[in-house]
Structures are given as structure tokens and as C-alpha cells.
Amino acid sequence: MKNLDRRKFLKKTSLTAAAIATATAFDSCAQDAPERASNAQYMGGFGAPKLETVRIALIGVGARGSGHARNLAMLEGTEIVAISDLYEDWANRSKTACEEIGTGQRHQNIALYTQDENHWKVMLDEVKPDAVFISTNWSNHAPMAIEAMKKGAHAFVEVPIALTIEEMWAIVDTSETTKKHCMMMENVNYGRDELMYLNMCRQGLVGDLLHAEASYIHELRFQMEEQERGTGSWRTHHYAKRNGNLYPTHGLGPVAQYMNIARTDDTFKKLVSFSTPALGRQDYAKKNYAADHKWNQLDYQGGDLNTSIIKTNLGRTIMVQWDETSPRPYSRLNLVQGTKGTLAGFPTRVALEGGVEGVTDSHHQWAQGKDLQALYDKYDHPLYKRLSESAKGSGHGGMDGIMRYRIVECLRNGWPMDQNVYEGCFWSAVSPLSEASVAQDGMPQEFPDFTRGGWSETAPLDIIS
């Protein structure tokens, strides 16, 4: 619809004032892409100048950031130069850990910035790091990444890369004009099964890709116990006031790379989204906290489960689900369907037309359980084979360590990142687009083209050895 037609339609269907406001706000960012600056560099396939030693600063060293600090300090060619956190004890904890890892040879002059919520800006000015790792409240991701790039550092941001379409455009424009990487650290793309499925898709084992299913199903109500500091202290407010898919990238990132989304073959086109009623968090708060507790003062509007469907430029479909509330086992789905078979996760299983050689007789049977070893032996991704032993104990089955290693390896060699700035924005855009669609009773929302057409000439991610 043209914008004028859409406004008339919204009025005729008597949507709430809030829904109309959401739709209008989205219309303003669904228009044509802003013009690329004359001094901009398209970042698809971009490799920055080599860094012999990567001088690293970290903003946020809580549960996630402290793991980044320790693991990065272990990697060859790194120097931890500064840490910023609101909590001095957390900053000192990571400083001490890095110093011990450095054994008197590295990471011995780490500056701490803990005075207030803006002290990280002073850190950027004084330390001038090569790379900044950001592990903070979602609302801070975009402002911190943008400022880091403007001050001359590559930015590595926890998921999601940003909360709004406007912020995503600002990140893209800043990355292009400063010629600095901004990578969203989607660690799941480095999981063993995800890497193997990427390898199998590239070898054509499931034929032409038609459909994928991705999710983040992870019951996290216990985080509401984190009330003064920690994830639950700020995420709970997002769950209450926002209605959509708030955490899409863990499931979506891998299947998007299977399909070469925003890389030569295809790109996201539009999305529709629906949410269930918002019951679980409210019930949990009533059951576990006093009537006057702050969690019982929230108006819980975010549906317990959100289901979104993406249609791509080629007409493929991707179902994306999110639920951090319901009592059920963890799942990312991780399914990709092709004309010759299906790869699926949770549990890991494979079905191929004619059967999996030496394992199954037809596609009516899954190869799974102990039978998967034959597939791992044959199709394990070479990157996993190279790094899995050294990445043990780094977090999430080794995927965290592989991701951090690759970031440093790419910076030291001047190679493109495995996940470019546009992918981070495309995957994260599901959140604001789903919120707009839910508010408009499932009306389709168009994806902005953050590449401004460059996706059709951006090479697919290599099968890195």
C-alpha cells in the first residue's frame, strides 16, 4: 500500500490509537533508503587494514561481558586495554582475570572506567582502542556502537544490534562513513550443527532451499530474581511493554546464512507477525512476589509467544518464533527444508530423498542419535574441525570461543567479518517489524534494504577452513 492508502485503511478498521501511532512511525522508516554519503564505503566484503595486535576495550562485564574479557585475553595478538562498567566490583573482577591470564606479559595496564553511566565515552577518548566489545542493556547497543566507530574503533555488539529501524540505519551509515566494522556477535552461527548444516546446504545435499524455521524458545522467568543488577533487572521491562519477537537472531542468523540472505542469492522482503496473550509473566509475578512488588506493578502487554513469518525476495518462507516465558524445553528449531531433504535441530536430525547413505532407507526416516556420527565425520565444517578443541570451555559448547577467535583472526589478517553490519541489521529488524505487525493485527511490514541494493553483489560467506 502507499502511505496514504494505509492510513485510510487503518482508520476504517478502527485500530487503536497506539496501533496507528506504531504504523505511522514505521511508515517513516519503511520509505526508500536514505542516500548513501559521498564518502561512504559499502561494507559487504570489506576488510579493514591489518592489526598486528588488537587493542581491546570492553563496555559491560557482567555475565556475558566477563566471558568475552577472559576468552579474548587468552587469544594470541590481543591486548586488553580498558574496561568500563557501572559496577566497580565487576570491572575489577574482569581486570584481575585478564591480568592473571597475561602472566605479567600482557594485559597489565588495564584502565577502568566506572564512575557513571557515560564514563565509557571518556574511555574511548583517552584509550583509543582498536576494537570495542559491547555487552550492555539492549537500549545502549546502538549508541555505544555508533560512538565507538566515530572514535575510530571497530564495534562488536551483543544481540540485538539495535532496537529500532532508525538506529539500524544510523549504525549502517556510521560504519560506511567511518569504514569500521560493526558486527553483531551472533554466536549461534558458530555452533557445530549450524556450521555443519551450512556446509551441507552449500554442497547441495538438500537441493534448492524453500523454507526454514528458527526460534528462541528459552524459559527465563527466573531472571526476574535479578532485580537490582543483571539481565532480569532491565529485560523484564521489555517483556512487559513490547509486544513482538524481542530476540530473533539466535535462530534466524544461521538459517539466513544457509539461504545466503543479503548475499547474492536472496534477501528479506516482508514480514507478518502475531503474538499470543500476555499471561505467563503476570502469573509468575503474582505467584512469586508480594502484591506491592515492582514486578506486580507492571502492565504486561508482551505476548508470551510470538510467531512471525518472513517472505524473501525469491518467495521462500522463514518462520521465526520467540518465547522466554512458557514452561517447555529449550529449542532454536534450526530447520531448513529443500527440494531434496530437510535438516532439523532439537533434536538434531536429517532426512534426505532416497535416505542418508548407510543410515536410512528413505526420507520417511530421520537419521538421528548415534547415526549422526557418520554425518559429522563426513560434513563437519572445516572451521569447527580446526577450532573445536581450543574452544572447549569457552561457552555454549565452544561456539563462543570460535566466534571470538574468528573476530580476532579477521582483524589481524584484514579479512571481512563472517557477519557483516547489514546482516546484523536485517536479523535484528525482525523485532521492530514484528512489533509493528502485531500492533496492526498482522499487517505485512516491508524490510528496509540496509545494503541499498548491494546485497545482490555481496559474496556468500565462504566455507572457511
Side-chain angles (χ1 to χ4, degrees), residues 241-274:
K241 69 182 180 181
R242 297 172 57 200
N243 194 5
N245 184 325
L246 306 194
Y247 209 66
T249 72
H250 280 343
L252 183 58
V255 301
Q257 289 198 331
Y258 304 159
M259 289 183 165
N260 289 334
I261 297 296
R263 288 176 176 264
T264 302
D265 290 351
D266 202 0
T267 195
F268 292 156
K269 186 175 182 180
K270 61 182 63 178
L271 169 151
V272 297
S273 186
F274 296 93

PDB file of all heavy atoms in Angstrom, residues 241-274:
ATOM      1  N   LYS A 241       6.410  -4.251  28.225  1.00  0.00           N
ATOM      2  CA  LYS A 241       5.865  -3.144  27.420  1.00  0.00           C
ATOM      3  C   LYS A 241       5.924  -3.365  25.919  1.00  0.00           C
ATOM      4  O   LYS A 241       5.268  -2.630  25.170  1.00  0.00           O
ATOM      5  CB  LYS A 241       6.593  -1.848  27.779  1.00  0.00           C
ATOM      6  CG  LYS A 241       8.052  -1.793  27.335  1.00  0.00           C
ATOM      7  CD  LYS A 241       8.715  -0.487  27.776  1.00  0.00           C
ATOM      8  CE  LYS A 241      10.181  -0.418  27.335  1.00  0.00           C
ATOM      9  NZ  LYS A 241      10.822   0.839  27.775  1.00  0.00           N
ATOM     10  N   ARG A 242       6.683  -4.355  25.447  1.00  0.00           N
ATOM     11  CA  ARG A 242       6.831  -4.543  24.000  1.00  0.00           C
ATOM     12  C   ARG A 242       6.169  -5.844  23.573  1.00  0.00           C
ATOM     13  O   ARG A 242       6.347  -6.877  24.216  1.00  0.00           O
ATOM     14  CB  ARG A 242       8.320  -4.559  23.619  1.00  0.00           C
ATOM     15  CG  ARG A 242       9.046  -3.260  23.908  1.00  0.00           C
ATOM     16  CD  ARG A 242      10.545  -3.406  23.700  1.00  0.00           C
ATOM     17  NE  ARG A 242      10.857  -3.866  22.353  1.00  0.00           N
ATOM     18  CZ  ARG A 242      12.008  -4.432  22.013  1.00  0.00           C
ATOM     19  NH1 ARG A 242      12.951  -4.636  22.922  1.00  0.00           N
ATOM     20  NH2 ARG A 242      12.219  -4.806  20.764  1.00  0.00           N
ATOM     21  N   ASN A 243       5.445  -5.805  22.468  1.00  0.00           N
ATOM     22  CA  ASN A 243       4.696  -6.975  22.003  1.00  0.00           C
ATOM     23  C   ASN A 243       5.154  -7.353  20.600  1.00  0.00           C
ATOM     24  O   ASN A 243       4.774  -6.726  19.606  1.00  0.00           O
ATOM     25  CB  ASN A 243       3.191  -6.676  22.003  1.00  0.00           C
ATOM     26  CG  ASN A 243       2.367  -7.947  21.872  1.00  0.00           C
ATOM     27  OD1 ASN A 243       2.893  -9.056  21.875  1.00  0.00           O
ATOM     28  ND2 ASN A 243       1.060  -7.786  21.765  1.00  0.00           N
ATOM     29  N   GLY A 244       5.990  -8.377  20.531  1.00  0.00           N
ATOM     30  CA  GLY A 244       6.531  -8.844  19.255  1.00  0.00           C
ATOM     31  C   GLY A 244       7.580  -9.900  19.534  1.00  0.00           C
ATOM     32  O   GLY A 244       7.569 -10.533  20.589  1.00  0.00           O
ATOM     33  N   ASN A 245       8.473 -10.107  18.589  1.00  0.00           N
ATOM     34  CA  ASN A 245       9.598 -11.027  18.777  1.00  0.00           C
ATOM     35  C   ASN A 245      10.790 -10.201  19.236  1.00  0.00           C
ATOM     36  O   ASN A 245      11.410  -9.492  18.435  1.00  0.00           O
ATOM     37  CB  ASN A 245       9.917 -11.761  17.472  1.00  0.00           C
ATOM     38  CG  ASN A 245      11.013 -12.804  17.643  1.00  0.00           C
ATOM     39  OD1 ASN A 245      11.946 -12.621  18.417  1.00  0.00           O
ATOM     40  ND2 ASN A 245      10.904 -13.901  16.917  1.00  0.00           N
ATOM     41  N   LEU A 246      11.126 -10.291  20.507  1.00  0.00           N
ATOM     42  CA  LEU A 246      12.154  -9.424  21.071  1.00  0.00           C
ATOM     43  C   LEU A 246      13.565  -9.982  20.937  1.00  0.00           C
ATOM     44  O   LEU A 246      14.531  -9.277  21.226  1.00  0.00           O
ATOM     45  CB  LEU A 246      11.865  -9.154  22.553  1.00  0.00           C
ATOM     46  CG  LEU A 246      10.487  -8.602  22.913  1.00  0.00           C
ATOM     47  CD1 LEU A 246      10.493  -8.080  24.342  1.00  0.00           C
ATOM     48  CD2 LEU A 246      10.033  -7.523  21.946  1.00  0.00           C
ATOM     49  N   TYR A 247      13.709 -11.246  20.489  1.00  0.00           N
ATOM     50  CA  TYR A 247      15.035 -11.871  20.489  1.00  0.00           C
ATOM     51  C   TYR A 247      15.125 -12.860  19.329  1.00  0.00           C
ATOM     52  O   TYR A 247      15.216 -14.066  19.531  1.00  0.00           O
ATOM     53  CB  TYR A 247      15.232 -12.580  21.839  1.00  0.00           C
ATOM     54  CG  TYR A 247      16.656 -12.676  22.318  1.00  0.00           C
ATOM     55  CD1 TYR A 247      17.387 -11.544  22.663  1.00  0.00           C
ATOM     56  CD2 TYR A 247      17.266 -13.916  22.462  1.00  0.00           C
ATOM     57  CE1 TYR A 247      18.682 -11.643  23.138  1.00  0.00           C
ATOM     58  CE2 TYR A 247      18.565 -14.031  22.940  1.00  0.00           C
ATOM     59  CZ  TYR A 247      19.267 -12.884  23.274  1.00  0.00           C
ATOM     60  OH  TYR A 247      20.561 -12.984  23.757  1.00  0.00           O
ATOM     61  N   PRO A 248      15.135 -12.367  18.100  1.00  0.00           N
ATOM     62  CA  PRO A 248      15.015 -13.264  16.944  1.00  0.00           C
ATOM     63  C   PRO A 248      16.307 -13.866  16.435  1.00  0.00           C
ATOM     64  O   PRO A 248      16.283 -14.860  15.709  1.00  0.00           O
ATOM     65  CB  PRO A 248      14.423 -12.340  15.876  1.00  0.00           C
ATOM     66  CG  PRO A 248      14.988 -10.987  16.214  1.00  0.00           C
ATOM     67  CD  PRO A 248      15.031 -10.945  17.724  1.00  0.00           C
ATOM     68  N   THR A 249      17.461 -13.316  16.783  1.00  0.00           N
ATOM     69  CA  THR A 249      18.645 -13.581  15.972  1.00  0.00           C
ATOM     70  C   THR A 249      19.303 -14.930  16.225  1.00  0.00           C
ATOM     71  O   THR A 249      19.982 -15.457  15.345  1.00  0.00           O
ATOM     72  CB  THR A 249      19.695 -12.468  16.144  1.00  0.00           C
ATOM     73  OG1 THR A 249      20.293 -12.554  17.435  1.00  0.00           O
ATOM     74  CG2 THR A 249      19.067 -11.097  15.960  1.00  0.00           C
ATOM     75  N   HIS A 250      19.136 -15.518  17.417  1.00  0.00           N
ATOM     76  CA  HIS A 250      19.793 -16.809  17.682  1.00  0.00           C
ATOM     77  C   HIS A 250      19.315 -17.890  16.710  1.00  0.00           C
ATOM     78  O   HIS A 250      20.103 -18.694  16.228  1.00  0.00           O
ATOM     79  CB  HIS A 250      19.528 -17.266  19.112  1.00  0.00           C
ATOM     80  CG  HIS A 250      20.403 -16.606  20.125  1.00  0.00           C
ATOM     81  ND1 HIS A 250      21.565 -15.950  19.816  1.00  0.00           N
ATOM     82  CD2 HIS A 250      20.287 -16.506  21.484  1.00  0.00           C
ATOM     83  CE1 HIS A 250      22.125 -15.477  20.906  1.00  0.00           C
ATOM     84  NE2 HIS A 250      21.375 -15.796  21.935  1.00  0.00           N
ATOM     85  N   GLY A 251      18.020 -17.927  16.454  1.00  0.00           N
ATOM     86  CA  GLY A 251      17.510 -18.909  15.495  1.00  0.00           C
ATOM     87  C   GLY A 251      17.644 -18.455  14.061  1.00  0.00           C
ATOM     88  O   GLY A 251      17.925 -19.255  13.157  1.00  0.00           O
ATOM     89  N   LEU A 252      17.451 -17.162  13.836  1.00  0.00           N
ATOM     90  CA  LEU A 252      17.371 -16.638  12.470  1.00  0.00           C
ATOM     91  C   LEU A 252      18.733 -16.515  11.801  1.00  0.00           C
ATOM     92  O   LEU A 252      18.861 -16.758  10.594  1.00  0.00           O
ATOM     93  CB  LEU A 252      16.673 -15.278  12.492  1.00  0.00           C
ATOM     94  CG  LEU A 252      16.441 -14.601  11.153  1.00  0.00           C
ATOM     95  CD1 LEU A 252      15.623 -15.477  10.215  1.00  0.00           C
ATOM     96  CD2 LEU A 252      15.760 -13.244  11.349  1.00  0.00           C
ATOM     97  N   GLY A 253      19.767 -16.130  12.555  1.00  0.00           N
ATOM     98  CA  GLY A 253      21.079 -15.916  11.948  1.00  0.00           C
ATOM     99  C   GLY A 253      21.585 -17.103  11.147  1.00  0.00           C
ATOM    100  O   GLY A 253      21.960 -16.961   9.972  1.00  0.00           O
ATOM    101  N   PRO A 254      21.610 -18.296  11.731  1.00  0.00           N
ATOM    102  CA  PRO A 254      22.114 -19.444  10.970  1.00  0.00           C
ATOM    103  C   PRO A 254      21.300 -19.755   9.716  1.00  0.00           C
ATOM    104  O   PRO A 254      21.878 -19.974   8.646  1.00  0.00           O
ATOM    105  CB  PRO A 254      22.040 -20.589  11.985  1.00  0.00           C
ATOM    106  CG  PRO A 254      22.158 -19.922  13.313  1.00  0.00           C
ATOM    107  CD  PRO A 254      21.411 -18.628  13.153  1.00  0.00           C
ATOM    108  N   VAL A 255      19.961 -19.784   9.820  1.00  0.00           N
ATOM    109  CA  VAL A 255      19.183 -20.157   8.638  1.00  0.00           C
ATOM    110  C   VAL A 255      19.278 -19.075   7.559  1.00  0.00           C
ATOM    111  O   VAL A 255      19.209 -19.374   6.359  1.00  0.00           O
ATOM    112  CB  VAL A 255      17.709 -20.472   8.982  1.00  0.00           C
ATOM    113  CG1 VAL A 255      17.636 -21.608   9.994  1.00  0.00           C
ATOM    114  CG2 VAL A 255      16.947 -19.259   9.482  1.00  0.00           C
ATOM    115  N   ALA A 256      19.472 -17.817   7.966  1.00  0.00           N
ATOM    116  CA  ALA A 256      19.660 -16.751   6.976  1.00  0.00           C
ATOM    117  C   ALA A 256      20.947 -16.973   6.188  1.00  0.00           C
ATOM    118  O   ALA A 256      20.998 -16.732   4.976  1.00  0.00           O
ATOM    119  CB  ALA A 256      19.676 -15.390   7.663  1.00  0.00           C
ATOM    120  N   GLN A 257      21.986 -17.460   6.870  1.00  0.00           N
ATOM    121  CA  GLN A 257      23.225 -17.727   6.134  1.00  0.00           C
ATOM    122  C   GLN A 257      23.124 -19.009   5.322  1.00  0.00           C
ATOM    123  O   GLN A 257      23.757 -19.118   4.267  1.00  0.00           O
ATOM    124  CB  GLN A 257      24.419 -17.745   7.092  1.00  0.00           C
ATOM    125  CG  GLN A 257      24.751 -16.341   7.598  1.00  0.00           C
ATOM    126  CD  GLN A 257      26.136 -16.206   8.190  1.00  0.00           C
ATOM    127  OE1 GLN A 257      26.700 -17.155   8.734  1.00  0.00           O
ATOM    128  NE2 GLN A 257      26.706 -15.010   8.113  1.00  0.00           N
ATOM    129  N   TYR A 258      22.320 -19.996   5.755  1.00  0.00           N
ATOM    130  CA  TYR A 258      22.083 -21.144   4.884  1.00  0.00           C
ATOM    131  C   TYR A 258      21.508 -20.667   3.549  1.00  0.00           C
ATOM    132  O   TYR A 258      21.856 -21.174   2.483  1.00  0.00           O
ATOM    133  CB  TYR A 258      21.059 -22.124   5.482  1.00  0.00           C
ATOM    134  CG  TYR A 258      21.348 -22.685   6.848  1.00  0.00           C
ATOM    135  CD1 TYR A 258      20.300 -23.207   7.619  1.00  0.00           C
ATOM    136  CD2 TYR A 258      22.635 -22.720   7.382  1.00  0.00           C
ATOM    137  CE1 TYR A 258      20.529 -23.733   8.882  1.00  0.00           C
ATOM    138  CE2 TYR A 258      22.865 -23.236   8.650  1.00  0.00           C
ATOM    139  CZ  TYR A 258      21.801 -23.741   9.393  1.00  0.00           C
ATOM    140  OH  TYR A 258      22.022 -24.258  10.646  1.00  0.00           O
ATOM    141  N   MET A 259      20.579 -19.698   3.617  1.00  0.00           N
ATOM    142  CA  MET A 259      19.866 -19.226   2.430  1.00  0.00           C
ATOM    143  C   MET A 259      20.596 -18.104   1.694  1.00  0.00           C
ATOM    144  O   MET A 259      20.091 -17.579   0.714  1.00  0.00           O
ATOM    145  CB  MET A 259      18.475 -18.722   2.837  1.00  0.00           C
ATOM    146  CG  MET A 259      17.510 -19.818   3.247  1.00  0.00           C
ATOM    147  SD  MET A 259      15.878 -19.105   3.618  1.00  0.00           S
ATOM    148  CE  MET A 259      14.860 -20.600   3.594  1.00  0.00           C
ATOM    149  N   ASN A 260      21.798 -17.723   2.173  1.00  0.00           N
ATOM    150  CA  ASN A 260      22.550 -16.615   1.574  1.00  0.00           C
ATOM    151  C   ASN A 260      21.721 -15.337   1.532  1.00  0.00           C
ATOM    152  O   ASN A 260      21.736 -14.583   0.546  1.00  0.00           O
ATOM    153  CB  ASN A 260      23.035 -16.974   0.164  1.00  0.00           C
ATOM    154  CG  ASN A 260      24.137 -18.010   0.169  1.00  0.00           C
ATOM    155  OD1 ASN A 260      24.878 -18.128   1.152  1.00  0.00           O
ATOM    156  ND2 ASN A 260      24.246 -18.775  -0.898  1.00  0.00           N
ATOM    157  N   ILE A 261      21.015 -15.052   2.630  1.00  0.00           N
ATOM    158  CA  ILE A 261      20.222 -13.831   2.715  1.00  0.00           C
ATOM    159  C   ILE A 261      21.157 -12.626   2.754  1.00  0.00           C
ATOM    160  O   ILE A 261      22.116 -12.585   3.516  1.00  0.00           O
ATOM    161  CB  ILE A 261      19.325 -13.856   3.971  1.00  0.00           C
ATOM    162  CG1 ILE A 261      18.314 -15.006   3.874  1.00  0.00           C
ATOM    163  CG2 ILE A 261      18.629 -12.518   4.165  1.00  0.00           C
ATOM    164  CD1 ILE A 261      17.313 -14.889   2.747  1.00  0.00           C
ATOM    165  N   ALA A 262      20.848 -11.639   1.927  1.00  0.00           N
ATOM    166  CA  ALA A 262      21.636 -10.409   1.770  1.00  0.00           C
ATOM    167  C   ALA A 262      23.030 -10.688   1.217  1.00  0.00           C
ATOM    168  O   ALA A 262      23.941  -9.870   1.351  1.00  0.00           O
ATOM    169  CB  ALA A 262      21.733  -9.623   3.074  1.00  0.00           C
ATOM    170  N   ARG A 263      23.183 -11.853   0.579  1.00  0.00           N
ATOM    171  CA  ARG A 263      24.464 -12.224  -0.025  1.00  0.00           C
ATOM    172  C   ARG A 263      24.204 -12.923  -1.367  1.00  0.00           C
ATOM    173  O   ARG A 263      24.106 -14.144  -1.437  1.00  0.00           O
ATOM    174  CB  ARG A 263      25.261 -13.139   0.913  1.00  0.00           C
ATOM    175  CG  ARG A 263      25.834 -12.442   2.151  1.00  0.00           C
ATOM    176  CD  ARG A 263      26.526 -13.452   3.050  1.00  0.00           C
ATOM    177  NE  ARG A 263      27.181 -12.872   4.189  1.00  0.00           N
ATOM    178  CZ  ARG A 263      28.482 -12.550   4.260  1.00  0.00           C
ATOM    179  NH1 ARG A 263      29.260 -12.746   3.218  1.00  0.00           N
ATOM    180  NH2 ARG A 263      28.996 -12.048   5.372  1.00  0.00           N
ATOM    181  N   THR A 264      24.047 -12.152  -2.404  1.00  0.00           N
ATOM    182  CA  THR A 264      23.933 -12.590  -3.801  1.00  0.00           C
ATOM    183  C   THR A 264      22.599 -13.251  -4.150  1.00  0.00           C
ATOM    184  O   THR A 264      21.934 -12.850  -5.101  1.00  0.00           O
ATOM    185  CB  THR A 264      25.073 -13.554  -4.196  1.00  0.00           C
ATOM    186  OG1 THR A 264      26.323 -12.909  -3.996  1.00  0.00           O
ATOM    187  CG2 THR A 264      24.965 -13.951  -5.658  1.00  0.00           C
ATOM    188  N   ASP A 265      22.193 -14.262  -3.389  1.00  0.00           N
ATOM    189  CA  ASP A 265      21.072 -15.088  -3.804  1.00  0.00           C
ATOM    190  C   ASP A 265      19.703 -14.501  -3.492  1.00  0.00           C
ATOM    191  O   ASP A 265      18.780 -14.575  -4.310  1.00  0.00           O
ATOM    192  CB  ASP A 265      21.159 -16.471  -3.147  1.00  0.00           C
ATOM    193  CG  ASP A 265      22.300 -17.312  -3.693  1.00  0.00           C
ATOM    194  OD1 ASP A 265      22.908 -16.892  -4.687  1.00  0.00           O
ATOM    195  OD2 ASP A 265      22.589 -18.368  -3.116  1.00  0.00           O
ATOM    196  N   ASP A 266      19.543 -13.936  -2.310  1.00  0.00           N
ATOM    197  CA  ASP A 266      18.191 -13.620  -1.838  1.00  0.00           C
ATOM    198  C   ASP A 266      18.287 -12.569  -0.741  1.00  0.00           C
ATOM    199  O   ASP A 266      19.371 -12.292  -0.208  1.00  0.00           O
ATOM    200  CB  ASP A 266      17.531 -14.892  -1.295  1.00  0.00           C
ATOM    201  CG  ASP A 266      16.009 -14.837  -1.280  1.00  0.00           C
ATOM    202  OD1 ASP A 266      15.440 -13.801  -1.685  1.00  0.00           O
ATOM    203  OD2 ASP A 266      15.391 -15.836  -0.863  1.00  0.00           O
ATOM    204  N   THR A 267      17.134 -11.992  -0.384  1.00  0.00           N
ATOM    205  CA  THR A 267      17.096 -11.073   0.749  1.00  0.00           C
ATOM    206  C   THR A 267      15.704 -11.082   1.357  1.00  0.00           C
ATOM    207  O   THR A 267      14.752 -11.568   0.747  1.00  0.00           O
ATOM    208  CB  THR A 267      17.514  -9.651   0.327  1.00  0.00           C
ATOM    209  OG1 THR A 267      17.798  -8.873   1.501  1.00  0.00           O
ATOM    210  CG2 THR A 267      16.430  -8.967  -0.495  1.00  0.00           C
ATOM    211  N   PHE A 268      15.581 -10.568   2.571  1.00  0.00           N
ATOM    212  CA  PHE A 268      14.285 -10.481   3.215  1.00  0.00           C
ATOM    213  C   PHE A 268      13.412  -9.461   2.486  1.00  0.00           C
ATOM    214  O   PHE A 268      13.891  -8.394   2.110  1.00  0.00           O
ATOM    215  CB  PHE A 268      14.421 -10.041   4.673  1.00  0.00           C
ATOM    216  CG  PHE A 268      15.078 -11.045   5.577  1.00  0.00           C
ATOM    217  CD1 PHE A 268      15.701 -10.626   6.746  1.00  0.00           C
ATOM    218  CD2 PHE A 268      15.059 -12.397   5.302  1.00  0.00           C
ATOM    219  CE1 PHE A 268      16.295 -11.529   7.607  1.00  0.00           C
ATOM    220  CE2 PHE A 268      15.653 -13.318   6.153  1.00  0.00           C
ATOM    221  CZ  PHE A 268      16.282 -12.878   7.306  1.00  0.00           C
ATOM    222  N   LYS A 269      12.137  -9.784   2.351  1.00  0.00           N
ATOM    223  CA  LYS A 269      11.210  -8.873   1.675  1.00  0.00           C
ATOM    224  C   LYS A 269      10.170  -8.295   2.632  1.00  0.00           C
ATOM    225  O   LYS A 269      10.042  -7.088   2.771  1.00  0.00           O
ATOM    226  CB  LYS A 269      10.525  -9.589   0.515  1.00  0.00           C
ATOM    227  CG  LYS A 269       9.641  -8.681  -0.337  1.00  0.00           C
ATOM    228  CD  LYS A 269       9.085  -9.440  -1.540  1.00  0.00           C
ATOM    229  CE  LYS A 269       8.253  -8.515  -2.415  1.00  0.00           C
ATOM    230  NZ  LYS A 269       7.691  -9.245  -3.597  1.00  0.00           N
ATOM    231  N   LYS A 270       9.386  -9.155   3.269  1.00  0.00           N
ATOM    232  CA  LYS A 270       8.360  -8.658   4.183  1.00  0.00           C
ATOM    233  C   LYS A 270       8.093  -9.657   5.291  1.00  0.00           C
ATOM    234  O   LYS A 270       8.524 -10.822   5.224  1.00  0.00           O
ATOM    235  CB  LYS A 270       7.080  -8.322   3.443  1.00  0.00           C
ATOM    236  CG  LYS A 270       6.431  -9.488   2.719  1.00  0.00           C
ATOM    237  CD  LYS A 270       5.169  -9.038   1.965  1.00  0.00           C
ATOM    238  CE  LYS A 270       5.483  -8.027   0.890  1.00  0.00           C
ATOM    239  NZ  LYS A 270       4.269  -7.633   0.118  1.00  0.00           N
ATOM    240  N   LEU A 271       7.349  -9.199   6.291  1.00  0.00           N
ATOM    241  CA  LEU A 271       7.103  -9.999   7.486  1.00  0.00           C
ATOM    242  C   LEU A 271       5.684  -9.772   7.980  1.00  0.00           C
ATOM    243  O   LEU A 271       5.155  -8.657   7.913  1.00  0.00           O
ATOM    244  CB  LEU A 271       8.111  -9.602   8.565  1.00  0.00           C
ATOM    245  CG  LEU A 271       7.953 -10.080  10.015  1.00  0.00           C
ATOM    246  CD1 LEU A 271       9.342 -10.173  10.661  1.00  0.00           C
ATOM    247  CD2 LEU A 271       7.094  -9.121  10.827  1.00  0.00           C
ATOM    248  N   VAL A 272       5.062 -10.840   8.472  1.00  0.00           N
ATOM    249  CA  VAL A 272       3.807 -10.738   9.217  1.00  0.00           C
ATOM    250  C   VAL A 272       4.021 -11.380  10.580  1.00  0.00           C
ATOM    251  O   VAL A 272       4.849 -12.302  10.723  1.00  0.00           O
ATOM    252  CB  VAL A 272       2.625 -11.409   8.494  1.00  0.00           C
ATOM    253  CG1 VAL A 272       2.346 -10.721   7.175  1.00  0.00           C
ATOM    254  CG2 VAL A 272       2.877 -12.898   8.284  1.00  0.00           C
ATOM    255  N   SER A 273       3.288 -10.916  11.593  1.00  0.00           N
ATOM    256  CA  SER A 273       3.575 -11.370  12.945  1.00  0.00           C
ATOM    257  C   SER A 273       2.330 -11.346  13.814  1.00  0.00           C
ATOM    258  O   SER A 273       1.486 -10.454  13.691  1.00  0.00           O
ATOM    259  CB  SER A 273       4.652 -10.470  13.562  1.00  0.00           C
ATOM    260  OG  SER A 273       5.060 -10.947  14.814  1.00  0.00           O
ATOM    261  N   PHE A 274       2.237 -12.337  14.706  1.00  0.00           N
ATOM    262  CA  PHE A 274       1.149 -12.425  15.673  1.00  0.00           C
ATOM    263  C   PHE A 274       1.715 -12.868  17.015  1.00  0.00           C
ATOM    264  O   PHE A 274       2.645 -13.664  17.070  1.00  0.00           O
ATOM    265  CB  PHE A 274       0.080 -13.426  15.220  1.00  0.00           C
ATOM    266  CG  PHE A 274      -0.631 -13.032  13.957  1.00  0.00           C
ATOM    267  CD1 PHE A 274      -0.172 -13.487  12.719  1.00  0.00           C
ATOM    268  CD2 PHE A 274      -1.746 -12.216  13.997  1.00  0.00           C
ATOM    269  CE1 PHE A 274      -0.816 -13.130  11.546  1.00  0.00           C
ATOM    270  CE2 PHE A 274      -2.396 -11.852  12.832  1.00  0.00           C
ATOM    271  CZ  PHE A 274      -1.933 -12.308  11.607  1.00  0.00           C
TER     272      PHE A 274
END
